[in-house]
Amino acid sequence: MNLKQMAGIEAARYVEDGMIVGLGTGSTAKFMVDEIGRRVKEEGLSIVGVTTSKETERQALALGIPLKGIDEVPYVDLTIDGADEISEDFQGIKGGGAALLFEKIVATYSKKCIWIVDDSKLVKQLGKFPLPVEVVPYGSQQLVRLFEEKGFAPVLRTTPNEELLVTDGGHSIIDLHLEEITDPIALGTYLDQLVGVVEHGLFLNVVSTVIVGGQAGPKTIHVSE
Ligand code: 5RP
């Protein structure tokens, strides 16, 4: 079985009747949403989903999963989402699929977050994967210049058609090619205070459980309860 599919299906087992479930974005999350859709249809599982992107919303609606917006629920019981890199101390980079802002908002109001990845996403230290920074388009070139001065090797993200990428929130993304992030907390704090930065892809102290798809089967790591 595809390793991402393995992790996605395993994670869907954590979803229980009555839960409000945050539905992540990306190719791994897609398998999880498919499996939840199957459980809704075949097992009569009764949940409300809160999606983290237009893409996931389209998928969930097509599968018949009942949905509410993040502002229509008091909290989210459990969010299941993918990740681009997870370090040894379970900090993460997300946003490869450009959904980091909504993903972070949903994660923030979730009681528990499960990340689902294939084993290639587990790294010693974060940073090989370019760190996405979501920015307001107005003044974005000034931020690119600032990041260049800092040696962050910034690249404004474009679509496969080479048009400027626009996120679901109407923003741009600057990918920082850092190679290594020695102090994610300090970097996150620095990015948080920059004018024009809406959010960044460092997801720090967020995850409760990691499910890793590997050749030997899915491995579940409980980070915190
Ligand atoms: C989207 C994300 C994704 O969860 C992340 O990019 C992982 O994607 P995939 O499962 O396709 O490898 O953060 O913004």
Side-chain angles (χ1 to χ4, degrees), residues 93-152:
I93 289 182
K94 287 182 49 52
L100 64 137
L101 175 60
F102 292 1
E103 288 173 336
K104 200 179 269 192
I105 291 171
V106 173
T108 299
Y109 298 105
S110 297
K111 291 181 179 172
K112 190 172 155 65
C113 290
I114 297 179
W115 283 347
I116 46 176
V117 291
D118 64 48
D119 52 13
S120 71
K121 305 282 186 75
L122 301 183
V123 298
K124 198 168 163 48
Q125 186 183 49
L126 299 178
K128 278 268 176 291
F129 192 91
L131 176 66
V133 181
E134 184 154 347
V135 304
V136 173
Y138 185 82
S140 57
Q141 289 298 343
Q142 297 294 343
L143 280 168
V144 169
R145 192 178 48 75
L146 180 72
F147 291 146
E148 266 163 7
E149 281 168 14
K150 288 250 177 215
F152 287 174

Short mmCIF file of all heavy atoms in Angstrom, two decimals, residues 93-152:
data_model
loop_
_atom_site.label_atom_id
_atom_site.label_comp_id
_atom_site.label_asym_id
_atom_site.label_seq_id
_atom_site.Cartn_x
_atom_site.Cartn_y
_atom_site.Cartn_z
N ILE A 93 7.24 21.58 9.83
CA ILE A 93 7.03 22.56 8.76
C ILE A 93 5.82 22.09 7.98
O ILE A 93 5.71 20.91 7.62
CB ILE A 93 8.25 22.66 7.81
CG1 ILE A 93 9.43 23.34 8.51
CG2 ILE A 93 7.88 23.41 6.52
CD1 ILE A 93 10.66 23.52 7.64
N LYS A 94 4.88 23.03 7.74
CA LYS A 94 3.72 22.76 6.91
C LYS A 94 3.55 23.91 5.93
O LYS A 94 4.14 24.96 6.09
CB LYS A 94 2.46 22.63 7.78
CG LYS A 94 2.43 21.32 8.56
CD LYS A 94 1.18 21.13 9.39
CE LYS A 94 -0.10 21.39 8.67
NZ LYS A 94 -0.28 20.66 7.40
N GLY A 95 2.71 23.66 4.92
CA GLY A 95 2.43 24.73 3.96
C GLY A 95 2.91 24.45 2.56
O GLY A 95 2.77 25.29 1.68
N GLY A 96 3.47 23.24 2.36
CA GLY A 96 3.88 22.86 1.01
C GLY A 96 2.71 22.95 0.05
O GLY A 96 2.88 23.24 -1.14
N GLY A 97 1.52 22.70 0.57
CA GLY A 97 0.30 22.77 -0.26
C GLY A 97 -0.39 24.11 -0.19
O GLY A 97 -1.52 24.26 -0.63
N ALA A 98 0.30 25.10 0.41
CA ALA A 98 -0.16 26.51 0.45
C ALA A 98 -1.36 26.75 1.37
O ALA A 98 -1.98 27.80 1.29
CB ALA A 98 -0.47 27.02 -0.96
N ALA A 99 -1.67 25.77 2.24
CA ALA A 99 -2.87 25.93 3.09
C ALA A 99 -2.50 26.25 4.54
O ALA A 99 -3.32 26.11 5.44
CB ALA A 99 -3.71 24.66 3.02
N LEU A 100 -1.28 26.70 4.77
CA LEU A 100 -0.78 26.81 6.15
C LEU A 100 -1.60 27.73 7.04
O LEU A 100 -1.77 27.44 8.23
CB LEU A 100 0.68 27.26 6.16
CG LEU A 100 0.99 28.65 5.62
CD1 LEU A 100 1.99 29.37 6.50
CD2 LEU A 100 1.55 28.53 4.22
N LEU A 101 -2.15 28.81 6.50
CA LEU A 101 -2.88 29.75 7.36
C LEU A 101 -4.13 29.10 7.93
O LEU A 101 -4.34 29.09 9.16
CB LEU A 101 -3.24 31.01 6.56
CG LEU A 101 -4.10 32.03 7.31
CD1 LEU A 101 -3.41 32.53 8.58
CD2 LEU A 101 -4.45 33.22 6.40
N PHE A 102 -4.95 28.53 7.07
CA PHE A 102 -6.19 27.91 7.56
C PHE A 102 -5.85 26.67 8.39
O PHE A 102 -6.51 26.37 9.37
CB PHE A 102 -7.13 27.55 6.40
CG PHE A 102 -7.71 28.75 5.67
CD1 PHE A 102 -7.39 30.05 6.04
CD2 PHE A 102 -8.61 28.57 4.62
CE1 PHE A 102 -7.92 31.15 5.37
CE2 PHE A 102 -9.15 29.67 3.95
CZ PHE A 102 -8.80 30.95 4.33
N GLU A 103 -4.79 25.96 7.99
CA GLU A 103 -4.37 24.78 8.76
C GLU A 103 -3.96 25.18 10.17
O GLU A 103 -4.28 24.50 11.14
CB GLU A 103 -3.20 24.08 8.06
CG GLU A 103 -3.61 23.36 6.79
CD GLU A 103 -2.44 22.80 6.00
OE1 GLU A 103 -1.31 23.31 6.13
OE2 GLU A 103 -2.66 21.86 5.24
N LYS A 104 -3.25 26.30 10.28
CA LYS A 104 -2.79 26.70 11.62
C LYS A 104 -3.96 27.21 12.46
O LYS A 104 -4.03 26.97 13.66
CB LYS A 104 -1.67 27.74 11.54
CG LYS A 104 -0.87 27.80 12.84
CD LYS A 104 0.27 28.79 12.83
CE LYS A 104 1.57 28.18 12.38
NZ LYS A 104 2.74 29.06 12.62
N ILE A 105 -4.90 27.90 11.82
CA ILE A 105 -6.07 28.37 12.57
C ILE A 105 -6.87 27.17 13.11
O ILE A 105 -7.20 27.11 14.30
CB ILE A 105 -6.96 29.28 11.69
CG1 ILE A 105 -6.23 30.60 11.39
CG2 ILE A 105 -8.31 29.55 12.37
CD1 ILE A 105 -6.91 31.49 10.36
N VAL A 106 -7.12 26.20 12.26
CA VAL A 106 -7.90 25.03 12.70
C VAL A 106 -7.12 24.26 13.77
O VAL A 106 -7.68 23.85 14.79
CB VAL A 106 -8.28 24.13 11.49
CG1 VAL A 106 -8.95 22.84 11.96
CG2 VAL A 106 -9.22 24.89 10.55
N ALA A 107 -5.81 24.11 13.59
CA ALA A 107 -4.99 23.39 14.59
C ALA A 107 -5.02 24.11 15.94
O ALA A 107 -5.09 23.48 16.99
CB ALA A 107 -3.56 23.26 14.08
N THR A 108 -5.00 25.43 15.90
CA THR A 108 -4.96 26.22 17.13
C THR A 108 -6.21 26.00 17.98
O THR A 108 -6.13 26.00 19.21
CB THR A 108 -4.82 27.73 16.77
OG1 THR A 108 -3.60 27.88 16.08
CG2 THR A 108 -4.84 28.63 17.99
N TYR A 109 -7.35 25.80 17.32
CA TYR A 109 -8.59 25.62 18.07
C TYR A 109 -8.99 24.15 18.19
O TYR A 109 -10.15 23.84 18.42
CB TYR A 109 -9.70 26.50 17.44
CG TYR A 109 -9.30 27.95 17.52
CD1 TYR A 109 -8.84 28.65 16.40
CD2 TYR A 109 -9.27 28.59 18.76
CE1 TYR A 109 -8.41 29.96 16.51
CE2 TYR A 109 -8.83 29.90 18.87
CZ TYR A 109 -8.40 30.57 17.75
OH TYR A 109 -7.94 31.86 17.87
N SER A 110 -8.00 23.27 18.04
CA SER A 110 -8.24 21.83 18.15
C SER A 110 -7.72 21.31 19.48
O SER A 110 -6.65 21.70 19.93
CB SER A 110 -7.53 21.08 17.02
OG SER A 110 -8.05 21.47 15.77
N LYS A 111 -8.47 20.38 20.07
CA LYS A 111 -8.03 19.77 21.34
C LYS A 111 -6.84 18.84 21.09
O LYS A 111 -6.02 18.63 21.97
CB LYS A 111 -9.18 18.98 21.95
CG LYS A 111 -10.32 19.85 22.45
CD LYS A 111 -11.41 18.97 23.05
CE LYS A 111 -12.55 19.81 23.58
NZ LYS A 111 -13.69 18.99 24.00
N LYS A 112 -6.80 18.27 19.90
CA LYS A 112 -5.77 17.28 19.60
C LYS A 112 -5.45 17.33 18.11
O LYS A 112 -6.37 17.49 17.30
CB LYS A 112 -6.34 15.90 19.98
CG LYS A 112 -5.37 14.75 19.97
CD LYS A 112 -6.07 13.51 20.54
CE LYS A 112 -5.45 12.24 20.06
NZ LYS A 112 -4.18 11.83 20.35
N CYS A 113 -4.17 17.21 17.78
CA CYS A 113 -3.77 17.20 16.35
C CYS A 113 -2.96 15.94 16.05
O CYS A 113 -2.00 15.63 16.76
CB CYS A 113 -2.89 18.40 16.02
SG CYS A 113 -3.78 19.95 16.03
N ILE A 114 -3.36 15.26 15.00
CA ILE A 114 -2.60 14.11 14.51
C ILE A 114 -1.98 14.51 13.17
O ILE A 114 -2.66 15.06 12.30
CB ILE A 114 -3.52 12.88 14.28
CG1 ILE A 114 -4.15 12.43 15.60
CG2 ILE A 114 -2.74 11.74 13.65
CD1 ILE A 114 -5.11 11.23 15.45
N TRP A 115 -0.68 14.25 13.03
CA TRP A 115 -0.04 14.46 11.72
C TRP A 115 0.18 13.11 11.08
O TRP A 115 0.60 12.14 11.75
CB TRP A 115 1.31 15.16 11.88
CG TRP A 115 1.18 16.63 12.15
CD1 TRP A 115 0.06 17.40 12.02
CD2 TRP A 115 2.22 17.51 12.62
NE1 TRP A 115 0.34 18.70 12.36
CE2 TRP A 115 1.64 18.79 12.74
CE3 TRP A 115 3.56 17.33 12.93
CZ2 TRP A 115 2.38 19.90 13.16
CZ3 TRP A 115 4.31 18.42 13.36
CH2 TRP A 115 3.71 19.70 13.47
N ILE A 116 -0.07 13.06 9.79
CA ILE A 116 0.09 11.82 9.02
C ILE A 116 1.12 12.05 7.92
O ILE A 116 1.01 12.99 7.14
CB ILE A 116 -1.27 11.35 8.45
CG1 ILE A 116 -2.05 12.51 7.79
CG2 ILE A 116 -2.12 10.72 9.52
CD1 ILE A 116 -3.35 12.10 7.12
N VAL A 117 2.13 11.19 7.92
CA VAL A 117 3.24 11.37 6.96
C VAL A 117 3.76 10.01 6.52
O VAL A 117 3.55 9.00 7.20
CB VAL A 117 4.42 12.14 7.62
CG1 VAL A 117 4.06 13.59 7.89
CG2 VAL A 117 4.90 11.46 8.90
N ASP A 118 4.49 10.01 5.40
CA ASP A 118 5.29 8.82 5.10
C ASP A 118 6.65 9.03 5.77
O ASP A 118 6.98 10.14 6.19
CB ASP A 118 5.39 8.58 3.59
CG ASP A 118 6.13 9.68 2.87
OD1 ASP A 118 7.22 10.09 3.31
OD2 ASP A 118 5.61 10.17 1.84
N ASP A 119 7.43 7.97 5.86
CA ASP A 119 8.64 8.05 6.69
C ASP A 119 9.72 8.98 6.14
O ASP A 119 10.66 9.33 6.85
CB ASP A 119 9.20 6.65 7.01
CG ASP A 119 9.39 5.79 5.77
OD1 ASP A 119 9.34 6.35 4.64
OD2 ASP A 119 9.59 4.57 5.92
N SER A 120 9.57 9.43 4.89
CA SER A 120 10.55 10.37 4.32
C SER A 120 10.45 11.76 4.98
O SER A 120 11.36 12.58 4.86
CB SER A 120 10.34 10.52 2.81
OG SER A 120 9.14 11.23 2.56
N LYS A 121 9.35 12.02 5.68
CA LYS A 121 9.14 13.36 6.26
C LYS A 121 9.82 13.52 7.63
O LYS A 121 9.85 14.63 8.16
CB LYS A 121 7.63 13.63 6.42
CG LYS A 121 6.80 13.48 5.16
CD LYS A 121 6.92 14.66 4.27
CE LYS A 121 6.00 14.62 3.06
NZ LYS A 121 4.61 14.91 3.32
N LEU A 122 10.30 12.42 8.20
CA LEU A 122 10.93 12.51 9.53
C LEU A 122 12.40 12.92 9.35
O LEU A 122 13.15 12.26 8.63
CB LEU A 122 10.86 11.16 10.25
CG LEU A 122 9.46 10.60 10.50
CD1 LEU A 122 9.54 9.31 11.30
CD2 LEU A 122 8.58 11.61 11.22
N VAL A 123 12.79 14.01 9.98
CA VAL A 123 14.16 14.54 9.83
C VAL A 123 14.75 14.82 11.21
O VAL A 123 14.02 14.94 12.19
CB VAL A 123 14.16 15.85 8.99
CG1 VAL A 123 13.64 15.60 7.58
CG2 VAL A 123 13.33 16.94 9.67
N LYS A 124 16.07 14.94 11.22
CA LYS A 124 16.74 15.26 12.50
C LYS A 124 16.43 16.72 12.86
O LYS A 124 15.98 17.03 13.95
CB LYS A 124 18.24 15.05 12.30
CG LYS A 124 19.02 14.92 13.57
CD LYS A 124 20.43 14.43 13.24
CE LYS A 124 21.41 14.66 14.38
NZ LYS A 124 20.93 14.23 15.69
N GLN A 125 16.66 17.58 11.88
CA GLN A 125 16.49 19.03 12.11
C GLN A 125 15.66 19.60 10.96
O GLN A 125 15.82 19.16 9.82
CB GLN A 125 17.89 19.65 12.09
CG GLN A 125 17.96 21.10 12.45
CD GLN A 125 19.40 21.62 12.33
OE1 GLN A 125 20.07 21.41 11.32
NE2 GLN A 125 19.86 22.29 13.36
N LEU A 126 14.80 20.57 11.26
CA LEU A 126 13.99 21.19 10.20
C LEU A 126 14.85 22.06 9.28
O LEU A 126 15.90 22.55 9.68
CB LEU A 126 12.91 22.09 10.83
CG LEU A 126 11.88 21.44 11.75
CD1 LEU A 126 10.94 22.50 12.31
CD2 LEU A 126 11.10 20.35 11.02
N GLY A 127 14.36 22.28 8.06
CA GLY A 127 14.98 23.31 7.22
C GLY A 127 15.32 22.91 5.80
O GLY A 127 15.47 23.78 4.95
N LYS A 128 15.48 21.62 5.54
CA LYS A 128 15.76 21.23 4.14
C LYS A 128 14.54 21.58 3.28
O LYS A 128 14.67 22.05 2.16
CB LYS A 128 16.02 19.73 4.03
CG LYS A 128 17.44 19.33 4.38
CD LYS A 128 18.34 19.30 3.15
CE LYS A 128 19.79 18.99 3.49
NZ LYS A 128 20.46 20.08 4.22
N PHE A 129 13.35 21.34 3.83
CA PHE A 129 12.13 21.72 3.11
C PHE A 129 11.98 23.23 3.23
O PHE A 129 12.06 23.78 4.33
CB PHE A 129 10.90 21.01 3.70
CG PHE A 129 9.69 21.14 2.82
CD1 PHE A 129 9.40 20.21 1.85
CD2 PHE A 129 8.85 22.25 2.95
CE1 PHE A 129 8.29 20.35 1.02
CE2 PHE A 129 7.74 22.41 2.12
CZ PHE A 129 7.46 21.45 1.15
N PRO A 130 11.78 23.93 2.12
CA PRO A 130 11.66 25.40 2.17
C PRO A 130 10.50 25.82 3.09
O PRO A 130 9.41 25.27 3.00
CB PRO A 130 11.38 25.78 0.72
CG PRO A 130 11.86 24.62 -0.09
CD PRO A 130 11.68 23.40 0.76
N LEU A 131 10.78 26.78 3.95
CA LEU A 131 9.77 27.22 4.92
C LEU A 131 8.81 28.22 4.28
O LEU A 131 9.22 29.32 3.88
CB LEU A 131 10.46 27.87 6.13
CG LEU A 131 9.50 28.45 7.17
CD1 LEU A 131 8.69 27.36 7.84
CD2 LEU A 131 10.27 29.28 8.20
N PRO A 132 7.52 27.88 4.17
CA PRO A 132 6.55 28.81 3.56
C PRO A 132 6.18 29.93 4.53
O PRO A 132 5.93 29.69 5.72
CB PRO A 132 5.32 27.93 3.29
CG PRO A 132 5.76 26.51 3.49
CD PRO A 132 6.89 26.58 4.47
N VAL A 133 6.16 31.13 4.00
CA VAL A 133 5.72 32.30 4.78
C VAL A 133 4.60 32.96 3.98
O VAL A 133 4.81 33.37 2.83
CB VAL A 133 6.89 33.29 5.01
CG1 VAL A 133 6.41 34.47 5.86
CG2 VAL A 133 8.06 32.59 5.69
N GLU A 134 3.40 33.04 4.58
CA GLU A 134 2.25 33.63 3.88
C GLU A 134 2.26 35.13 4.16
O GLU A 134 2.32 35.56 5.32
CB GLU A 134 0.96 32.97 4.37
CG GLU A 134 -0.26 33.46 3.62
CD GLU A 134 -1.40 32.45 3.59
OE1 GLU A 134 -1.20 31.27 3.93
OE2 GLU A 134 -2.51 32.85 3.20
N VAL A 135 2.21 35.92 3.09
CA VAL A 135 2.35 37.37 3.23
C VAL A 135 1.25 38.11 2.46
O VAL A 135 0.72 37.60 1.48
CB VAL A 135 3.74 37.85 2.73
CG1 VAL A 135 4.87 37.13 3.45
CG2 VAL A 135 3.89 37.68 1.23
N VAL A 136 0.97 39.32 2.92
CA VAL A 136 0.05 40.19 2.20
C VAL A 136 0.74 40.60 0.89
O VAL A 136 1.93 40.93 0.91
CB VAL A 136 -0.25 41.44 3.07
CG1 VAL A 136 -1.06 42.46 2.30
CG2 VAL A 136 -0.96 41.03 4.35
N PRO A 137 0.03 40.54 -0.26
CA PRO A 137 0.70 40.89 -1.52
C PRO A 137 1.30 42.30 -1.50
O PRO A 137 2.40 42.51 -2.02
CB PRO A 137 -0.42 40.76 -2.56
CG PRO A 137 -1.36 39.77 -1.97
CD PRO A 137 -1.33 39.99 -0.48
N TYR A 138 0.58 43.25 -0.90
CA TYR A 138 1.09 44.63 -0.86
C TYR A 138 2.37 44.67 -0.01
O TYR A 138 2.36 44.34 1.17
CB TYR A 138 0.03 45.55 -0.24
CG TYR A 138 0.40 47.02 -0.25
CD1 TYR A 138 0.20 47.80 -1.39
CD2 TYR A 138 0.96 47.62 0.87
CE1 TYR A 138 0.55 49.13 -1.41
CE2 TYR A 138 1.31 48.95 0.87
CZ TYR A 138 1.10 49.71 -0.28
OH TYR A 138 1.44 51.04 -0.29
N GLY A 139 3.46 45.02 -0.62
CA GLY A 139 4.73 45.10 0.10
C GLY A 139 5.51 43.79 0.13
O GLY A 139 6.54 43.69 0.80
N SER A 140 5.03 42.79 -0.62
CA SER A 140 5.69 41.48 -0.54
C SER A 140 7.12 41.52 -1.09
O SER A 140 8.00 40.80 -0.62
CB SER A 140 4.86 40.41 -1.26
OG SER A 140 4.64 40.77 -2.60
N GLN A 141 7.35 42.40 -2.09
CA GLN A 141 8.72 42.50 -2.64
C GLN A 141 9.68 43.08 -1.59
O GLN A 141 10.87 42.78 -1.60
CB GLN A 141 8.74 43.36 -3.90
CG GLN A 141 8.08 42.70 -5.11
CD GLN A 141 8.78 41.41 -5.54
OE1 GLN A 141 9.92 41.12 -5.18
NE2 GLN A 141 8.08 40.60 -6.31
N GLN A 142 9.14 43.92 -0.72
CA GLN A 142 9.97 44.47 0.36
C GLN A 142 10.38 43.35 1.33
O GLN A 142 11.52 43.30 1.80
CB GLN A 142 9.22 45.57 1.13
CG GLN A 142 8.86 46.78 0.30
CD GLN A 142 10.10 47.56 -0.17
OE1 GLN A 142 11.20 47.39 0.36
NE2 GLN A 142 9.92 48.39 -1.17
N LEU A 143 9.45 42.43 1.58
CA LEU A 143 9.79 41.29 2.45
C LEU A 143 10.80 40.38 1.77
O LEU A 143 11.73 39.88 2.40
CB LEU A 143 8.52 40.51 2.81
CG LEU A 143 7.68 41.13 3.93
CD1 LEU A 143 6.31 40.45 4.02
CD2 LEU A 143 8.39 41.06 5.27
N VAL A 144 10.63 40.17 0.44
CA VAL A 144 11.60 39.36 -0.30
C VAL A 144 13.00 39.98 -0.14
O VAL A 144 13.99 39.29 0.13
CB VAL A 144 11.21 39.25 -1.80
CG1 VAL A 144 12.34 38.65 -2.62
CG2 VAL A 144 9.95 38.40 -1.95
N ARG A 145 13.06 41.30 -0.29
CA ARG A 145 14.35 42.00 -0.17
C ARG A 145 14.93 41.82 1.25
O ARG A 145 16.11 41.52 1.42
CB ARG A 145 14.13 43.49 -0.48
CG ARG A 145 15.40 44.29 -0.68
CD ARG A 145 15.11 45.74 -1.04
NE ARG A 145 14.12 46.37 -0.16
CZ ARG A 145 14.38 46.77 1.08
NH1 ARG A 145 15.56 46.60 1.60
NH2 ARG A 145 13.42 47.33 1.80
N LEU A 146 14.07 41.97 2.25
CA LEU A 146 14.52 41.82 3.63
C LEU A 146 15.07 40.40 3.88
O LEU A 146 16.13 40.21 4.47
CB LEU A 146 13.34 42.10 4.57
CG LEU A 146 13.60 41.99 6.06
CD1 LEU A 146 14.45 43.17 6.54
CD2 LEU A 146 12.28 41.98 6.83
N PHE A 147 14.33 39.40 3.37
CA PHE A 147 14.76 38.01 3.56
C PHE A 147 16.05 37.73 2.80
O PHE A 147 16.90 36.95 3.25
CB PHE A 147 13.65 37.04 3.11
CG PHE A 147 12.42 37.04 3.99
CD1 PHE A 147 11.16 36.84 3.46
CD2 PHE A 147 12.53 37.22 5.37
CE1 PHE A 147 10.02 36.83 4.27
CE2 PHE A 147 11.40 37.20 6.20
CZ PHE A 147 10.14 37.01 5.64
N GLU A 148 16.22 38.39 1.63
CA GLU A 148 17.48 38.22 0.90
C GLU A 148 18.64 38.75 1.73
O GLU A 148 19.68 38.12 1.85
CB GLU A 148 17.41 38.95 -0.45
CG GLU A 148 16.96 38.04 -1.56
CD GLU A 148 16.49 38.79 -2.80
OE1 GLU A 148 16.64 40.03 -2.87
OE2 GLU A 148 15.94 38.12 -3.69
N GLU A 149 18.44 39.94 2.31
CA GLU A 149 19.49 40.54 3.15
C GLU A 149 19.86 39.64 4.32
O GLU A 149 20.99 39.58 4.76
CB GLU A 149 19.01 41.89 3.70
CG GLU A 149 19.10 43.02 2.68
CD GLU A 149 18.36 44.28 3.14
OE1 GLU A 149 18.00 44.38 4.34
OE2 GLU A 149 18.12 45.14 2.28
N LYS A 150 18.87 38.90 4.82
CA LYS A 150 19.09 38.01 5.97
C LYS A 150 19.73 36.68 5.54
O LYS A 150 20.02 35.84 6.37
CB LYS A 150 17.75 37.68 6.60
CG LYS A 150 17.15 38.84 7.35
CD LYS A 150 17.23 38.51 8.76
CE LYS A 150 16.88 39.21 9.89
NZ LYS A 150 17.67 39.05 11.06
N GLY A 151 19.86 36.47 4.21
CA GLY A 151 20.43 35.21 3.72
C GLY A 151 19.44 34.05 3.76
O GLY A 151 19.85 32.89 3.83
N PHE A 152 18.13 34.37 3.71
CA PHE A 152 17.11 33.34 3.81
C PHE A 152 16.74 32.72 2.45
O PHE A 152 15.86 31.85 2.38
CB PHE A 152 15.82 33.90 4.43
CG PHE A 152 15.90 34.18 5.92
CD1 PHE A 152 14.85 34.82 6.58
CD2 PHE A 152 17.01 33.81 6.66
CE1 PHE A 152 14.91 35.06 7.95
CE2 PHE A 152 17.08 34.06 8.04
CZ PHE A 152 16.03 34.69 8.68
#
